[in-house]
Amino acid sequence: MTTRWTRKDLLGLRELSADEINFILETADAFKQVGTREIKKVPALRGKTLVNFFVEPSTRTRTSFELAAFRLSADVINISATTSSLTKGETLKDTARNLQALHADILVLRHSSAGAPQFLANRLKASVVNAGDGAHEHPTQALLDLYTIRERRGKIAELRVAIIGDILFSRVARSNIFGLLKLGARVTLVGPSTLVPREFEKLGVEVSHKIDDVLPQADVVNLLRIQHERQRKEYFPGIGEYIRLFGLTKKRAKLLKPDCLIMHPGPINRGVEIDSEVADGLQSVILDQVTNGLAVRMAVLYLCGGIAT
Amino acid sequence: MTATVIRNGRVIDPANKQDEIVDLLIIDGKIADVSQLSTLNSQPEEIDARDLIVCPGLIDMHVHLREPGFSHKETIESGARAAAAGGFTTVLCMPNTSPAADNPSTIAWIKDRAAAVACVNVLPSGAISKNLGGEELSPIGSLAQAGVVAISDDGYCVQNHEVMRRAVEYARMVGLPVLDHCQDYNLVGNGVVHEGYWSILLGLPGWPAAGEEAMVMRNILLAELCDHHIHCQHITTAGSVRLIREARARGIKISGEVCPHHITLTDEAIQHFDTNYKMNPPLRSQTDVDALLEGIADGTLSILCSDHAPHAEFEKEVEFDAAPFGIIGLETELGLFLDQLVHKHNKIDIARVIAMYTVEPARLLKIDAGTLSVGARGDVTLVNPGLEWTVSVDRFESASRNSPFGGWKLKGRAVRTIVGGKTVWTL
């Protein structure tokens, strides 16, 4: 392998080359092995300090990063919006500068504003790893999705991937689109026209509002959480109609090819975007995604943390 | 008696269709007939304007001077200095201050402050609605008596068409033009950037073109209904240009203005989340930029301005969607427009640029400015149209630094600003 990692930060997949994405995935292979050993810990980041800075609530992503950091022997502190001085009116910039003054090496940031990780990366010596910024990018989620597809199907190029649900507000969708296209997959976005506007076609994907036409062709379906509680009500009439038009029901799941993978970044709304039995069925790789997320995040922290010195 | 003679300049006075190399005389703060030069009983101040353009003092009818209430961003004093450094002798300040300029005492305060500290003419505008709330009319007649020359809720937009209709009718009675920041709140929602390719790519909330055009259309209908002038502020979209063009062809009293950032930048500039590219209305697509240039070329858009919107560094140095909208512009706008409209795109000639900064806003606002007629106020700007210079944000007179144009190489700028016969700024 000739690719070398030269980036201090991981802000998104749009800025990465296919080689860089593959390099992360191959690095993750090695770390996945570590997870199967009796002693699941390596000294790669010993002596380094990682700050999990979550300005927007998250359980699984934060836990996954925390565990990844522990397994790399880094020292970890967690700061959430409610425990930080942001609630006292301190700016993001000042909070981050204080963390830098404490010699944090890696900052994992979850934030509700698109571009917040880039804002900090431009101003800090520490590595910044984007753990989800607004509706912009969630690169480690897309990397673990790519890893899971590659692991199960042996390749990504030429596969037909359907991403279904709320695309407009989804950082997971955007990072997946960028990563899948760079690795040669064919991507179709599916959902109501209000949440999957036609402008997405300019990114190089197909847009469909008819899930039944898309499912039989798909090699992978990635279902996104429908966040009705967060959305303004004009985007779609209601959950009942959403299920009728776009839910992956048991009946619809029969349209899928037998080897089609069913993915979901979680947390799942059982009975909304996906029927409970489908989520737990043989084609579901939802829990593999969680396992692989750990390996992918170890790879990302290892690579970025190695540059930050 | 004090006298100043500006020698050998190319005098361009669009109000009088003058464009010739001639001397210009100012006596006791007023433009005088140059023949009086021989009868002066003392030696006048001599200004050599060879190779320079001598034009009426420029007017920027859309600036935020931030006082009262936000003097950490700008003051009337610093904003006036920035105006002078940009070649402006008259500015119209917007009413979104704290308290809002929706009452005669705030107007009186602004006028007193300007008289005490401003080196250029500062004209106040008054709010259309109380506290810029869009619901109740402000005392527009009292504001007129207090000296406002226009009303606007700039930064906000009256959403209720009935309230706006009555404001326009009432403003007609007292002879004030109505200026409108065109933004439909429902369509725009929490949008922070132009809705299009880049908003989709970056996941930033979109501000659709239709959000502006819906209100431009509303204003056209109300201008026709009330037979009174409505001026659409900072126009940004191809659709708005088309609507205004069609309405003006039908004789409707509607007009539009353009800011330099909307013709020099597109929404592509937001891709690194730099908040100096965040303004309201937002940077739009190349199609919109091209339409604005055509609108300027054919006279549909008749006024140039900056929407000078100072913000402190700590306010702009935040997450993109948390940052306030707006950039400063007084010290770069003339250079940008000369560089782009005259030199780069060859859309209009320099006389038209000057007209869009002088006679056009003066006629709209019905103010005694924007001409070099004998007897007019001795407000004069000297412009070097070919001077190449580099924008240096650190050298701005403005109290703020929020400009995306630092480092830009421009051709053309003001070199001397004269207010009432006195040089208030020189390069």
Side-chain angles (χ1 to χ4, degrees):
Chain A
M1 183 183 310
T2 54
T3 312
R4 280 177 49 89
W5 185 261
T6 55
R7 293 176 187 273
K8 167 175 89 76
D9 313 297
L10 178 68
L11 304 177
L13 294 197
R14 186 166 72 90
E15 64 186 14
L16 299 189
S17 67
D19 280 351
E20 287 174 304
I21 293 171
N22 281 320
F23 187 59
I24 297 171
L25 300 182
E26 283 157 32
T27 307
D29 280 334
F31 286 116
K32 186 156 186 190
Q33 293 300 316
V34 173
T36 63
R37 294 182 201 160
E38 192 171 337
I39 293 172
K40 298 181 176 60
K41 199 158 178 165
V42 292
L45 292 183
R46 192 166 62 194
K48 301 250 184 195
T49 305
L50 179 141
V51 178
N52 255 333
F53 189 22
F54 278 63
V55 181
E56 191 184 68
S58 159
T59 306
R60 77 185 56 214
T61 303
R62 185 182 58 73
T63 310
S64 181
F65 269 108
E66 191 173 354
L67 199 48
F70 283 144
R71 291 196 174 169
L72 293 167
S73 308
D75 297 315
V76 180
I77 52 172
N78 288 301
I79 302 173
S80 65
T82 47
T83 59
S84 78
S85 295
L86 292 175
T87 54
K88 298 178 189 168
E90 186 173 58
T91 64
L92 178 64
K93 183 183 172 187
D94 282 331
T95 303
R97 281 157 55 94
N98 277 277
L99 294 172
Q100 174 152 302
L102 296 170
H103 304 299
D105 299 291
I106 305 172
L107 189 66
V108 177
L109 180 70
R110 158 72 58 97
H111 199 289
S112 58
S113 293
Q118 180 161 358
F119 175 86
L120 288 185
N122 293 345
R123 288 162 177 79
L124 295 181
K125 281 180 275 188
S127 285
V128 175
V129 174
N130 182 2
D133 60 328
H136 179 220
E137 286 229 41
H138 192 351
T140 58
Q141 176 66 44
L143 287 165
L144 73 87
D145 292 342
L146 293 170
Y147 188 94
T148 305
I149 297 169
R150 172 175 159 279
E151 182 180 62
R152 285 302 191 107
R153 302 300 300 257
K155 64 167 187 176
I156 288 169
E158 304 303 322
L159 292 182
R160 302 185 73 125
V161 180
I163 306 174
I164 301 167
D166 167 8
I167 310 292
L168 185 62
F169 293 99
S170 174
R171 52 192 170 218
V172 175
R174 282 182 181 75
S175 287
N176 261 285
I177 291 167
F178 300 138
L180 287 164
L181 292 179
K182 282 175 198 283
L183 298 189
R186 297 170 64 183
V187 179
T188 304
L189 309 178
V190 184
S193 50
T194 44
L195 293 174
V196 193
R198 287 273 163 195
E199 281 82 353
F200 272 102
E201 288 174 349
K202 292 179 188 154
L203 305 188
V205 300
E206 288 176 40
V207 167
S208 172
H209 307 302
K210 293 181 177 168
I211 189 171
D212 292 349
D213 293 353
V214 174
L215 293 180
Q217 316 288 331
D219 298 304
V220 178
V221 294
N222 198 345
L223 297 148
L224 302 180
R225 176 178 165 79
I226 287 296
Q227 302 176 74
H228 196 252
E229 72 281 3
R230 201 177 70 176
Q231 277 157 18
R232 297 187 292 172
K233 61 182 183 298
E234 61 266 28
Y235 281 88
F236 61 96
I239 290 291
E241 179 156 316
Y242 183 85
I243 295 169
R244 191 166 303 122
L245 295 180
F246 299 103
L248 187 60
T249 56
K250 262 180 359 185
K251 189 174 162 210
R252 279 212 177 95
K254 293 195 173 76
L255 295 170
L256 294 170
K257 293 194 277 191
D259 60 351
C260 178
L261 305 179
I262 296 172
M263 307 179 75
H264 193 301
I268 302 174
N269 292 315
R270 288 178 183 269
V272 181
E273 64 267 5
I274 186 167
D275 260 4
S276 197
E277 285 172 51
V278 180
D280 299 331
L282 292 173
Q283 287 173 271
S284 167
V285 293
I286 294 171
L287 294 176
D288 299 72
Q289 290 174 267
V290 177
T291 307
N292 291 335
L294 197 52
V296 162
R297 290 186 174 110
M298 287 173 78
V300 166
L301 296 177
Y302 168 74
L303 292 172
C304 291
I307 296 297
T309 49
Chain B
M1 187 178 79
T2 60
T4 301
V5 61
I6 303 167
R7 299 234 185 238
N8 300 313
R10 177 182 165 198
V11 174
I12 299 181
D13 181 15
N16 291 311
K17 298 191 168 54
Q18 184 185 20
D19 185 349
E20 58 186 328
I21 294 180
V22 66
D23 296 343
L24 184 74
L25 181 62
I26 306 171
I27 298 177
D28 288 339
K30 289 190 183 307
I31 306 294
D33 193 311
V34 77
S35 65
Q36 289 184 49
L37 198 50
S38 54
T39 65
L40 290 177
N41 51 16
S42 64
Q43 194 65 25
E45 178 194 12
E46 297 261 348
I47 295 171
D48 180 15
R50 193 175 303 273
D51 300 327
L52 299 179
I53 286 168
V54 178
C55 64
L58 305 180
I59 302 163
D60 185 340
M61 60 171 283
H62 192 151
V63 305
H64 298 269
L65 298 188
R66 301 302 191 206
E67 271 193 309
F70 305 107
S71 56
H72 65 287
K73 298 172 192 269
E74 192 81 281
T75 62
I76 289 172
E77 183 176 15
S78 64
R81 278 203 316 274
F88 294 88
T89 59
T90 298
V91 294
L92 179 67
C93 57
M94 292 297 116
N96 57 339
T97 49
S98 180
D102 63 357
N103 63 87
S105 55
T106 300
I107 299 301
W109 187 89
I110 292 169
K111 290 181 71 174
D112 286 352
R113 191 78 193 139
V117 300
C119 64
V120 302
N121 308 303
V122 173
L123 303 177
S125 60
I128 295 172
S129 64
K130 278 184 189 159
N131 203 27
L132 309 164
E135 291 180 353
E136 291 176 79
L137 295 188
S138 62
I140 296 168
S142 305
L143 291 170
Q145 288 175 353
V148 307
V149 298
I151 55 169
S152 172
D153 268 3
D154 184 51
Y156 302 89
C157 177
V158 176
Q159 299 295 295
N160 183 321
H161 304 329
E162 165 65 6
V163 172
M164 188 66 169
R165 178 212 169 148
R166 299 307 171 195
V168 175
E169 279 181 344
Y170 202 87
R172 179 176 187 239
M173 172 183 77
V174 296
L176 291 177
V178 179
L179 322 180
D180 193 30
H181 164 122
C182 303
Q183 176 177 353
D184 182 301
Y185 290 173
N186 284 309
L187 280 169
V188 173
N190 60 350
V192 292
V193 298
H194 174 57
E195 182 180 302
Y197 175 79
W198 286 101
S199 71
I200 287 289
L201 189 77
L202 299 172
L204 286 168
W207 196 133
E212 174 176 301
E213 291 151 9
M215 284 303 180
V216 169
M217 189 70 238
R218 182 273 303 265
N219 290 340
I220 290 168
L221 296 173
L222 293 185
E224 187 169 17
L225 177 66
C226 307
D227 189 28
H228 186 55
H229 199 110
I230 303 180
H231 174 73
C232 298
Q233 298 179 287
H234 43 47
I235 285 301
T236 63
T237 79
S240 295
V241 175
R242 192 176 62 244
L243 288 166
I244 293 170
R245 180 181 291 127
E246 289 166 1
R248 282 167 74 93
R250 288 196 294 120
I252 310 293
K253 294 173 181 168
I254 193 92
S255 55
E257 67 185 27
V258 190
C259 303
H261 40 280
H262 290 129
I263 64 152
T264 52
L265 297 166
T266 66
D267 57 345
E268 187 178 358
I270 61 178
Q271 63 180 299
H272 301 298
F273 301 97
D274 182 339
T275 58
N276 278 334
Y277 297 100
K278 180 181 175 182
M279 55 282 280
N280 188 15
L283 300 175
R284 301 227 181 252
S285 71
Q286 189 60 50
T287 307
D288 296 304
V289 169
D290 293 342
L292 292 177
L293 291 172
E294 286 313 308
I296 291 168
D298 71 11
T300 298
L301 301 171
S302 51
I303 287 170
L304 304 175
C305 67
S306 64
D307 191 8
H308 181 78
H311 293 292
E313 189 184 7
F314 75 87
E315 295 169 313
K316 275 289 206 181
E317 279 265 296
V318 296
E319 301 89 318
F320 194 88
D321 51 11
F325 291 101
I327 60 169
I328 55 173
L330 275 166
E331 293 169 80
T332 47
E333 59 180 304
L334 180 63
L336 286 163
F337 278 130
L338 289 174
D339 188 76
Q340 299 281 315
L341 295 176
V342 179
H343 297 305
K344 188 174 168 202
H345 296 301
N346 199 22
K347 288 290 174 190
I348 52 174
D349 61 17
I350 195 158
R352 181 60 190 158
V353 171
I354 291 166
M356 293 175 79
Y357 267 131
T358 55
V359 62
E360 293 279 6
R363 278 188 192 145
L364 172 64
L365 301 172
K366 299 195 266 320
I367 55 173
D368 171 26
T371 174
L372 298 175
S373 300
V374 169
R377 262 202 326 241
D379 295 349
V380 182
T381 301
L382 271 55
V383 176
N384 183 339
L387 182 65
E388 295 185 11
W389 62 292
T390 303
V391 177
S392 175
V393 172
D394 294 332
R395 298 179 64 179
F396 283 158
E397 295 288 340
S398 169
S400 285
R401 295 287 175 268
N402 53 313
S403 167
F405 296 115
W408 279 47
K409 292 183 182 0
L410 302 177
K411 190 172 177 185
R413 68 173 298 169
V415 295
R416 184 187 287 261
T417 306
I418 299 167
V419 175
K422 274 178 54 184
T423 293
V424 295
W425 176 84
T426 179
L427 186 64

